[in-house]
Amino acid sequence: AAAEPPILVDRRGRVGLLRLNRPSRFNALSDALIDRLGDELEAMDADDGIGAIVITGSDKAFAAGADIGAMADWDFVHVYKTNYVSRNWDRLARIRKPVIAAVGGFALGGGCELAMTCDLVIAAETARFGQPEVRLGVLPGAGGTQRLPRAVGKAKAMDLCLTARMMDAQEAERAGLVSRIVPAERLLDEALEAAARIAAFSLPVAMMIKESVNRAFESGLSEGLLFERRSFHAAFGLQDQKEGMAAFLAKRNASFSHC
Ligand code: CO8
């Protein structure tokens, strides 16, 4: 297993599929894994033939967090000087195409943070989400204290981060962390279908939608609305706008050329 790549890369039409592949470690997020994930995501982001990306794990775990074995002996100077997390995580959040997390089993610590860095979270009924870092004598370090309250509100974010308890898929969906719940055996198919549906729409429009929704978390309402309005106006510069509206009026399916 040591020779196995930490990420398995696949492609289904216009959908890129990345599978976290350290099953014996519950897909613990080693540096090698995060580095590779960043490389593969950036390659797919640059690939004109890909319109959406799915990240998934195994049945048991999406990812159980950072690799505790690797971290145990690190000290402040080491993590500060090597810029742990920022050095290889920030690039994940800069991916411009829609990314779907297909979560089965545990999404804990950095695993939950990875799911929250994605744009949609499709969860199997078996999914469990948590930020249990407090148990280890640390706190969430890849956005858990920031993205979780934005997703589920302060009350639940405090509860999860301070008590280390897990949320099941139902609670996570009610709270707003999860886009949809599906039966475990349908997880990958549902995620791939959602990705294929997104990828068939205009790619520049999907990118603008992602950018604009994310702007809601970075700005006040009037700035966000202005950003949306500029993007909406820009969409009228696309061939895909002409095609989408002409297809509607002609009562046929649109065929987007992604430009
Ligand atoms: N790191 C390393 N190894 C792990 C991890 C992990 N995060 N999680 C599980 N494993 C290993 C176990 O050590 C065990 O190994 P072995 O078979 O050699 O004993 C194997 O995976 C199976 O685990 P368990 O025997 O514990 O299986 P259980 O079914 O009893 O429990 C759990 C599964 C609940 C997932 C349990 O393993 C667990 O609690 N894991 C740790 C979860 C955790 O604390 N995560 C937070 C880590 S800290 C963090 O994520 C900080 C984020 C900062 C930034 C991230 C940047 C990458």
Side-chain angles (χ1 to χ4, degrees):
E4 283 270 295
I7 304 281
L8 300 178
V9 182
D10 201 353
R11 191 171 166 160
R12 311 282 168 90
R14 288 181 49 77
V15 173
L17 172 61
L18 298 173
R19 189 187 284 276
L20 312 184
N21 185 42
R22 297 184 73 209
S24 67
R25 301 278 87 185
F26 278 58
N27 293 327
L29 303 170
S30 61
D31 270 0
L33 186 152
I34 294 292
D35 287 346
R36 248 332 243 292
L37 183 61
D39 292 346
E40 300 299 347
L41 281 169
E42 283 172 0
M44 288 179 170
D45 217 24
D47 183 338
D48 254 358
I50 287 184
I53 301 164
V54 173
I55 302 177
T56 195
S58 63
D59 295 346
K60 284 198 173 141
F62 178 68
D67 193 322
I68 300 167
M71 283 188 298
D73 292 330
W74 290 349
D75 61 18
F76 168 75
V77 174
H78 172 75
V79 291
Y80 182 72
K81 283 168 89 176
T82 59
N83 205 12
Y84 180 51
V85 186
S86 298
R87 70 177 173 237
N88 57 11
W89 189 283
D90 292 355
R91 60 203 289 230
L92 307 182
R94 282 199 298 269
I95 299 303
R96 298 174 72 206
K97 291 176 184 171
V99 182
I100 298 177
V103 178
F106 297 109
L108 300 177
C112 185
E113 291 167 316
L114 176 59
M116 291 191 290
T117 306
C118 297
D119 306 308
L120 280 79
V121 179
I122 298 186
E125 291 152 339
T126 56
R128 297 279 178 283
F129 298 86
Q131 299 288 163
E133 288 89 342
V134 67
R135 242 193 242 286
L136 302 169
V138 290
L139 57 148
T145 67
Q146 302 303 304
R147 288 200 179 91
L148 191 61
R150 282 168 169 79
V152 304
K154 174 179 166 179
K156 260 193 207 299
M158 286 287 190
D159 185 2
L160 292 171
C161 293
L162 287 171
T163 71
R165 81 170 174 89
M166 293 184 213
M167 275 196 299
D168 65 16
Q170 302 289 343
E171 183 181 2
E173 191 196 30
R174 278 199 308 275
L177 182 63
V178 160
S179 314
R180 328 175 181 172
I181 303 176
V182 299
E185 64 278 7
R186 289 278 308 150
L187 176 65
L188 188 58
D189 285 344
E190 294 271 356
L192 289 170
E193 281 167 24
R197 184 180 167 96
I198 292 167
F201 294 132
S202 168
L203 174 59
V205 170
M207 291 166 67
M208 286 180 197
I209 290 171
K210 169 169 175 165
E211 196 173 34
S212 197
V213 172
N214 280 332
R215 200 73 177 192
F217 298 99
E218 304 282 0
S219 65
L221 180 60
S222 57
E223 282 304 309
L225 287 170
L226 180 61
F227 187 87
E228 178 200 77
R229 214 54 37 80
R230 289 284 178 272
S231 303
F232 177 67
H233 292 161
F236 285 81
L238 295 170
Q239 280 178 30
D240 286 339
Q241 173 266 329
K242 301 288 174 291
E243 166 60 11
M245 294 190 185
F248 176 84
L249 293 173
K251 302 189 188 302
R252 61 171 173 83
N253 289 326
S255 175
F256 292 113
S257 51
H258 312 292
C259 56

